[in-house]
Amino acid sequence: MRLLKIVPDNTNIGFVRVRHIAFAITLVLTIAAIALVVTRGLNMGVDFAGGVSIEEKFTSPPPLDEVRSTVNALGLGEATLQQLGGPNNVTIRLPLPESTAPDAVDKMVEQVKGALEAKFRDAQFSNYSTVSGKVSDELVWRGGLAVLLAIIGIAIFSWLRYEWQFGVSTAVAIVHDVVMTLGFFALTQMVFDLNIVAAVLTIIGYSINDKMVIDDRIRENMRKYRRMGMRELIDQSVNETLPRTVMTSVTIMLALGALLIWGGHVLQGFTAAMMLGIVVGTYSSVYVSSSLLITLGLKPGVREDRAEAAAAKEKAERMTPRAGR
């Protein structure tokens, strides 16, 4: 088992010592990511930009890669495929046509229908529908609201569970993770759809799990080593949890690597977002979130939990002699 250890035991890395460099790098990357989102924008998928949804039925499960390449060869935009209601039913989503003519959508559907019938003899057109801009705007609003509420809820939980400094540092680190993911999609212009929103929410969940492990160890050591300085205490806490952090990240990256290679085109954006989120989330947990506690003024001697305080008070009352005895 020793050969499987990625991080050796009893590491003594000075993470806090380089916190100013880490803060500077984080700030620069965050500003660059925001600038990319503002200047280049996100390549919104059909879910957010609106589009046409075409349903095709086949007598046997079709090869999705061939279906996708056939539709993409028409030059109508990048097609998104889903098998809904069974492996023989394929839903093809395309962007709305640039033409504003009343029959523009009908012509697009006829093109797709003709190309698929020529390529696949068992292809049968079922129906089609359009997603309007109003519905797309609602999806953008609801997706952004879901991410925002997740960040706020996590920050409040950290505040109540630990100290307010933990809540602020966790919120800053998670916002950094989300902004970096958005900047990556603005840079690569990969399609940003509801699958990517799901990936972002998953990244938030992973990041908070990683940060909670480190925060728990920091608070535990604050009670155990009340006279130890915060720099030494945080370094020790992060080093103690480092094997778990690295091993968890490497394990997830192996699974995501398999999805990236063999998962197909549909999962490519989701997998890329998750892989970036794991790397960025691990970095922010180790170098940003924990070291930020010192900048926020966290001091040794953390307050006791309410349950512990109540137990201590009850114990003191039992040990105090009552009057008249």
Side-chain angles (χ1 to χ4, degrees):
M1 295 299 294
R2 293 182 179 179
L3 297 177
L4 298 177
K5 288 186 177 180
I6 301 177
V7 179
D9 295 329
N10 302 320
T11 57
N12 188 24
I13 304 174
F15 297 103
V16 177
R17 182 176 56 193
V18 297
R19 73 182 188 278
H20 296 297
I21 299 176
F23 291 165
I25 294 174
T26 301
L27 181 62
V28 171
L29 291 178
T30 302
I31 294 176
I34 295 174
L36 284 171
V37 174
V38 173
T39 56
R40 301 195 61 178
L42 298 173
N43 183 17
M44 294 295 189
V46 176
D47 294 326
F48 295 131
V52 181
S53 178
I54 304 172
E55 296 183 9
E56 289 279 341
K57 291 184 178 181
F58 299 81
T59 56
S60 60
L64 294 182
D65 290 338
E66 293 186 18
V67 175
R68 183 180 295 105
S69 61
T70 301
V71 177
N72 287 338
L74 299 175
L76 302 175
E78 185 174 358
T80 302
L81 273 61
Q82 283 185 315
Q83 290 175 303
L84 300 177
N88 298 347
N89 301 327
V90 178
T91 299
I92 304 168
R93 291 183 293 177
L94 289 167
L96 289 171
E98 296 181 359
S99 175
T100 57
D103 60 344
V105 174
D106 293 334
K107 290 181 178 180
M108 171 187 284
V109 174
E110 288 298 326
Q111 282 185 271
V112 174
K113 177 183 175 182
L116 291 178
E117 289 179 351
K119 180 69 175 181
F120 306 95
R121 296 183 178 180
D122 61 340
Q124 298 179 358
F125 171 76
S126 179
N127 58 65
Y128 78 92
S129 60
T130 59
V131 179
S132 65
K134 182 178 180 180
V135 176
S136 303
D137 292 340
E138 184 178 354
L139 288 175
V140 173
W141 163 251
R142 290 183 179 274
L145 182 62
V147 175
L148 180 61
L149 291 178
I151 296 175
I152 294 176
I154 290 168
I156 294 175
F157 173 80
S158 298
W159 188 335
L160 298 177
R161 181 69 175 83
Y162 306 107
E163 304 288 328
W164 68 267
Q165 291 93 339
F166 288 94
V168 174
S169 65
T170 299
V172 169
I174 292 178
V175 169
H176 163 263
D177 300 345
V178 173
V179 170
M180 291 300 296
T181 304
L182 296 178
F184 169 77
F185 277 89
L187 177 64
T188 60
Q189 288 297 294
M190 296 177 66
V191 177
F192 191 92
D193 52 18
L194 287 178
N195 291 332
I196 308 305
V197 175
V200 171
L201 293 174
T202 307
I203 291 170
I204 293 176
Y206 170 82
S207 298
I208 186 58
N209 178 71
D210 202 15
K211 291 170 178 58
M212 286 296 177
V213 171
I214 298 177
D215 289 348
D216 273 330
R217 184 56 59 90
I218 291 175
R219 191 176 69 159
E220 178 183 342
N221 286 337
M222 288 176 68
R223 293 173 176 174
K224 187 176 181 180
Y225 307 105
R226 294 183 177 272
R227 295 185 179 181
M228 181 182 291
M230 283 303 301
R231 293 189 179 186
E232 295 79 7
L233 191 144
I234 289 178
D235 276 340
Q236 178 173 327
S237 301
V238 176
N239 278 282
E240 289 175 353
T241 57
L242 191 61
R244 179 264 177 201
T245 299
V246 175
M247 182 60 72
T248 302
S249 300
V250 170
T251 303
I252 297 176
M253 290 294 285
L254 290 175
L256 292 174
L259 283 177
L260 186 64
I261 297 173
W262 295 291
H265 180 80
V266 176
L267 295 177
Q268 185 177 12
F270 177 87
T271 307
M274 284 295 301
M275 294 183 75
L276 175 70
I278 297 301
V279 174
V280 174
T282 303
Y283 160 78
S284 63
S285 298
V286 173
Y287 284 99
V288 179
S289 178
S290 56
S291 297
L292 191 60
L293 296 173
I294 297 177
T295 305
L296 295 174
L298 183 64
K299 302 295 182 182
V302 66
R303 61 176 170 83
E304 296 178 312
D305 289 337
R306 294 181 180 179
E308 295 180 356
K313 182 178 179 180
E314 183 179 354
K315 182 179 180 180
E317 291 178 352
R318 288 200 306 265
M319 296 178 62
T320 302
R322 295 184 179 179
R325 289 189 176 182

